Amino acid sequence: MKFSKKTALGLLFSLTLIVAGCGQKSASDTSAAPTGIPVPAETEITKLNVQVSFYPMYEFTKNVAGDLADVHTLVPAGMEPHDWEPTPQDIASIEKADVLVYNGAGMESWIDQVTGSLSNASLIQVEASKGINLLEGGEHDHHHEDSEATEHDHNHDHANEATTEEHDHDHDHSDEATTEEHDHDHDAEGEEGHGHDHGGLDPHVWLSPALAVTEVRNIEAGLAQAAPEHAAQFKQNADAYIAQLESLDQDFKAAVTDSKRKDFITQHAAFGYLAKEYDLQQVPIAGLSPEQEPSAAQMASVIDFAKEHQVKTIFFETLVSSKVSETIASEVGAKTAVLNPIEGLTEEEIAAGMDYISVMRQNLEALKLALNE
């Protein structure tokens, strides 16, 4: 039997459709079910695109979001975040995001400049530290241990406001309860020139488990604003993670209550909130940024303190050089140990499956030893 060219092409096209149909399974395909028992179509969940500034924000956000968001960290693993600046590719990623989570309190010196340049009017910005009483940079060292915390209001009242804001690049917002004008005072923040000094404010609130609870709640509110249909799941996830934070908080309290000493020497002034929460005394070698080199006078002061108080452990960090800590330890006959500010995880920590909770428990064990020597 002979077929015309037109007939042959028609048959080929029909076969192609049949093969394609056999190779695909739609959400409503019931071929796998017994006759008469329909299989409900699967509902595909659209995940939120969430960009976060650095590791602690990733950890908190991922635990709240669960499988309902794709969470991406801007600062790469193993990089110290204090001096990090976003690339054009990073800014493009933020532009496409549904939610941007950042710590605030001056930690991300680039935040206002970047968000002010965006055209994504629906971007939900979550300042995780909002509503927390922030410490001035020198309040928690051994020269100022009796100072009280001051509330930093970012040019508006944080205490009882909604915890999230919707970014409008024209800065012409409505008065809705869930949004607010993003209008940080650059002079108050000390962000001019990107000096990375946090404007004298201590941004390391995540190192207090009790304050980390507030950050998690702020993140929960932001995600719920972005996807209100999942608000109940976000709350359930947040509650479960906060239970871990509260357990960690109780363990810290129990560990330091009867310790022999209350002071500890750190590489930089990252543990002020932890020290204040548990009535300890942080003695930092450097300032709020670990990249700040201590002066000769600062070094001498710490050495004198260590000798006078017979300090036997000098703490250093994982993401920056330990040379200064080792120098002081050698001078006073002390050993060195890690007290991790969790500003990022190393590749080794990631490979070992470490996270915020496990690193903080390592910090707890390190402190227990140092405070009882």
Side-chain angles (χ1 to χ4, degrees):
M1 181 182 296
K2 295 184 179 180
F3 296 97
S4 66
K5 184 175 182 180
K6 183 176 181 181
T7 302
L9 289 174
L11 288 171
L12 180 61
F13 179 69
S14 298
L15 287 170
T16 301
L17 290 177
I18 292 170
V19 172
C22 292
Q24 294 178 351
K25 183 176 180 180
S26 68
S28 59
D29 189 356
T30 60
S31 60
T35 304
I37 304 177
V39 175
E42 294 182 4
T43 302
E44 183 177 350
I45 298 175
T46 301
K47 294 185 177 183
L48 290 173
N49 176 358
V50 182
Q51 299 288 325
V52 303
S53 55
F54 68 117
Y55 175 71
M57 300 303 101
Y58 171 85
E59 176 78 8
F60 298 162
T61 302
K62 188 63 179 173
N63 275 278
V64 175
D67 295 330
L68 298 175
D70 290 322
V71 184
H72 307 278
T73 310
L74 293 166
V75 178
M79 180 172 289
E80 213 293 319
H82 284 268
D83 295 323
W84 180 85
E85 295 285 347
T87 65
Q89 291 78 15
D90 294 321
I91 296 173
S93 296
I94 296 172
E95 182 73 69
K96 298 174 184 177
D98 300 306
V99 181
L100 171 64
V101 179
Y102 63 100
N103 182 76
M107 183 66 187
E108 299 89 352
S109 60
W110 45 268
I111 192 69
D112 283 348
Q113 182 178 1
V114 168
T115 56
S117 69
L118 301 177
S119 60
N120 180 1
S122 63
L123 176 67
I124 302 298
Q125 295 182 47
V126 181
E127 182 181 19
S129 66
K130 193 164 84 173
I132 294 175
N133 291 340
L134 301 179
L135 295 170
E136 297 292 341
E139 285 188 36
H140 41 64
D141 65 27
H142 66 287
H143 299 297
H144 304 277
E145 61 267 26
D146 295 326
S147 297
E148 294 296 325
T150 60
E151 183 169 358
H152 177 60
D153 65 3
H154 292 298
N155 218 21
H156 51 74
D157 183 10
H158 281 310
N160 295 305
E161 293 182 358
T163 57
T164 59
E165 60 186 3
E166 184 169 354
H167 178 67
D168 187 335
H169 64 285
D170 291 325
H171 296 284
D172 183 20
H173 298 284
S174 69
D175 293 328
E176 295 179 3
T178 55
T179 60
E180 65 180 2
E181 184 174 2
H182 185 62
D183 185 27
H184 294 296
D185 188 330
H186 282 245
D187 291 331
E189 291 285 343
E191 292 176 1
E192 293 180 342
H194 294 283
H196 305 287
D197 61 358
H198 313 295
L201 293 167
D202 184 350
H204 303 87
V205 294
W206 64 89
L207 288 169
S208 163
L211 297 181
V213 170
T214 299
E215 296 208 291
V216 170
R217 287 300 186 200
N218 286 343
I219 292 168
E220 176 203 338
L223 295 179
Q225 182 179 343
E229 67 274 18
H230 299 308
Q233 186 62 57
F234 293 143
K235 184 179 187 306
Q236 181 178 330
N237 294 346
D239 289 347
Y241 189 63
I242 285 172
Q244 296 183 58
L245 294 174
E246 290 174 341
S247 175
L248 180 65
D249 175 49
Q250 292 302 314
D251 290 344
F252 265 94
K253 288 177 180 177
V256 303
T257 298
D258 298 319
S259 60
K260 293 180 180 179
R261 62 189 311 129
K262 300 296 182 182
D263 50 62
F264 59 99
I265 296 178
T266 63
Q267 185 159 337
H268 88 285
F271 295 89
Y273 294 100
L274 183 145
K276 184 176 186 297
E277 187 70 34
Y278 305 117
D279 196 26
L280 301 175
Q281 181 182 345
Q282 173 187 233
V283 183
I285 299 170
L288 290 172
S289 172
E291 301 298 333
Q292 293 176 335
E293 289 290 337
S295 66
Q298 288 173 311
M299 291 279 285
S301 176
V302 173
I303 289 171
D304 288 344
F305 181 93
K307 290 179 177 178
E308 179 182 350
H309 294 83
Q310 299 181 336
V311 176
K312 294 179 173 60
T313 300
I314 309 296
F315 287 114
F316 68 96
E317 302 169 15
T318 54
L319 295 182
V320 294
S321 171
S322 60
K323 183 177 179 181
V324 173
S325 294
E326 291 170 351
T327 299
I328 292 178
S330 177
E331 180 72 21
V332 303
K335 65 179 183 295
T336 59
V338 172
L339 196 63
N340 196 331
I342 324 182
E343 293 174 347
L345 296 183
T346 65
E347 295 291 348
E348 292 76 15
E349 288 169 334
I350 294 172
M354 302 293 289
D355 58 18
Y356 173 88
I357 298 291
S358 59
V359 174
M360 282 297 289
R361 290 202 171 279
Q362 286 186 342
N363 284 343
L364 173 57
E365 293 305 313
L367 276 173
K368 284 168 63 176
L369 291 174
L371 297 176
N372 288 285
E373 292 177 320

